[in-house]
Amino acid sequence: MRTTGISLFDVTKRYDRVVLDRVSFTLKPGEKAGIVGDNGSGKSTLLELLAGVSRPDNGELTVVAPGGVGYLPQALDLPSGSTVADAIDRALSDLRALEARMHELESRLTASVMPEYAGLVAAYEARGGYEADARVEIALHALGLPGLDRARPLDTLSGGERSRLALAATLASAPELLLLDEPTNDLDDQAVAWLEGPSRQDGARGLRRGPRGRA
């Protein structure tokens, strides 16, 4: 049963000007939405708020996603010298954290920690944690980057390749809530067909920003 919840009431966000002015809406479990508008109208800002990257200046914002949030920004924000593996680990950070905690508890399994360990394993399996890296490879192949070396520096990839890498890893994280900022940028028709096809229609609620006039 999906428990994801998104609710905004009178949300305002300012930078050097008001970007979002008293925005209110809700999304019910299983619903999907696309955001369209002119450049600078606040589409990316709204996704950043929902992803927890920034906070509203006013209003009430609630995002409930026990199964994790996958957020795809327009550009990867990683330190110089980062590798493909670093980008994948960033997108899979929720699963990596679960995995690390599981390994920590495995080294000292006692009756007192068994309930926590069992809960972590259940959450990890529900997210398909054991298959996550395989899903990354499948998505990379579908998006035109088969066999991408995980040790390869990110700065040797083109902007389009970095975008497709981030998209593949974000999808592979199998979150309950997907927030995608212009996910079809730098994709050819075949990759777009895969992204929008039955293999990607898992029913998870998502909010996606598209270019003007396209959901």
Side-chain angles (χ1 to χ4, degrees):
M1 184 178 192
R2 299 189 187 97
T3 56
T4 310
I6 296 178
S7 175
L8 289 83
F9 179 72
D10 275 356
V11 166
T12 297
K13 182 64 179 180
R14 305 175 185 85
Y15 290 107
D16 55 336
R17 62 182 179 82
V18 175
V19 179
L20 299 174
D21 186 15
R22 301 181 65 181
V23 175
S24 299
F25 72 86
T26 60
L27 283 179
K28 298 177 182 179
E31 288 185 332
K32 301 177 184 179
I35 309 170
V36 296
D38 294 328
N39 289 338
S41 60
K43 301 185 295 295
S44 292
T45 297
L46 177 57
L47 291 179
E48 289 174 356
L49 292 175
L50 295 175
V53 175
S54 60
R55 298 177 61 85
D57 295 311
N58 299 98
E60 299 177 7
L61 168 64
T62 301
V63 176
V64 178
V69 176
Y71 169 53
L72 177 73
Q74 287 193 53
L76 281 172
D77 181 20
L78 287 169
S80 176
S82 295
T83 65
V84 168
D86 293 326
I88 293 172
D89 287 341
R90 166 74 69 86
L92 300 181
S93 59
D94 287 353
L95 291 175
R96 297 296 195 236
L98 285 173
E99 197 173 26
R101 182 59 176 164
M102 286 163 54
H103 290 328
E104 179 184 345
L105 293 181
E106 284 169 358
S107 66
R108 53 184 180 87
L109 277 181
T110 62
S112 62
V113 301
M114 276 303 297
E116 180 185 357
Y117 180 74
L120 291 170
V121 171
Y124 191 72
E125 291 180 342
R127 292 278 299 275
Y130 295 108
E131 300 83 32
D133 286 285
R135 289 198 301 271
V136 171
E137 296 305 322
I138 292 170
L140 285 173
H141 187 276
L143 296 174
L145 293 174
L148 188 61
D149 185 355
R150 296 201 178 194
R152 183 172 170 177
L154 284 179
D155 59 14
T156 66
L157 300 178
S158 69
E161 288 172 333
R162 288 195 294 270
S163 295
R164 283 180 281 156
L165 166 62
L167 175 59
T170 301
L171 294 174
S173 69
E176 185 172 354
L177 173 62
L178 270 173
L179 305 170
L180 307 178
D181 195 342
E182 297 197 7
T184 57
N185 279 0
D186 304 302
L187 300 186
D188 58 22
D189 291 342
Q190 183 177 349
V192 171
W194 174 82
L195 178 63
E196 297 180 342
S199 63
R200 292 302 323 147
Q201 301 306 312
D202 54 11
R205 176 197 298 178
L207 193 61
R208 184 180 74 179
R209 171 194 168 180
R212 179 174 171 79
R214 180 176 181 177

